Amino acid sequence: MEQTLSIIKPDAVERNLDKEIKEMFKNNGFSILNEKKIQIEKSEAEKFYKVHETKPFYNDLCAYLSSGPIVVMILEKDNAILANRELMGATNPVEAQEGTIRKKYGISIDKNSVHGSDSVENAKIEIDFFFKD
Ligand code: IDP
Ligand code: MG
């Protein structure tokens, strides 16, 4: 079994979509091992998204992730990282396949409703970021 970090982003929490999105994870065979609803500081978002610090959208991205409550979760399943990326769909909701979370709920490339780890290494770092006490 593999674990990945999932975040339900502010645009989705604000629209009360967190229950429906969690159901999509469960219906697709993911177990939610741990979850919490939190709001983070912009400085924490900057740490979380550090890999993107050179991108032109970095400042807006960090402002956005810290703009309202989010739900962070540890998801577990065989090949959870790839399976979650598939279930989320493409970064830009207009490019996401039918049946994916971003196709269904995403508003725009920045308000795309969910985050998911992209590698085994980053999943471990991201899970520790939110759940290591
Ligand atoms: P991912 O979330 O699909 O892994 P990344 O390339 O890691 O996509 O980008 C992280 C987040 O940054 C995206 O989910 C999206 O919210 C935002 N983002 C990515 N590219 C752009 C862009 O071109 N403009 C604005 N925001 C972007
Ligand atoms: Mg990414």
Side-chain angles (χ1 to χ4, degrees):
M1 288 287 212
E2 192 172 77
Q3 294 178 7
T4 190
L5 183 88
S6 170
I7 304 178
I8 305 177
K9 293 182 176 182
D11 68 271
V13 176
E14 183 180 84
R15 289 175 288 153
N16 292 309
L17 295 171
D18 40 320
K19 269 208 193 75
E20 282 160 72
I21 292 173
K22 281 190 257 178
E23 282 306 307
M24 282 181 80
F25 287 127
K26 290 181 203 160
N27 292 339
N28 281 275
F30 290 91
S31 302
I32 301 174
L33 298 190
N34 207 339
E35 64 173 282
K36 55 185 179 185
K37 189 189 266 191
I38 54 174
Q39 182 162 359
I40 61 173
E41 298 291 334
K42 187 168 180 231
S43 58
E44 296 175 275
E46 285 165 354
K47 246 178 103 182
F48 180 75
Y49 274 132
K50 195 156 175 44
V51 292
H52 294 302
E53 69 183 335
T54 60
K55 309 269 172 66
F57 55 83
Y58 178 65
N59 186 60
D60 288 347
L61 175 62
C62 297
Y64 167 62
L65 193 70
S66 57
S67 68
I70 57 176
V71 177
V72 293
M73 293 167 286
I74 302 172
L75 301 182
E76 186 176 76
K77 184 184 163 154
D78 282 338
N79 293 312
I81 295 162
L82 188 62
N84 182 39
R85 299 289 307 185
E86 284 175 3
L87 181 58
M88 288 197 302
T91 305
N92 190 343
V94 301
E95 290 165 8
Q97 301 287 310
E98 283 300 330
T100 62
I101 295 171
R102 284 168 166 171
K103 175 71 176 185
K104 209 166 171 194
Y105 300 121
I107 295 168
S108 59
I109 193 163
D110 46 327
K111 295 185 175 176
N112 59 7
S113 304
V114 279
H115 166 85
S117 308
D118 63 4
S119 66
V120 171
E121 190 192 359
N122 285 335
K124 193 180 176 325
I125 292 168
E126 292 180 355
I127 287 168
D128 281 355
F129 186 90
F130 285 109
F131 290 100
K132 199 171 182 173
D133 36 21

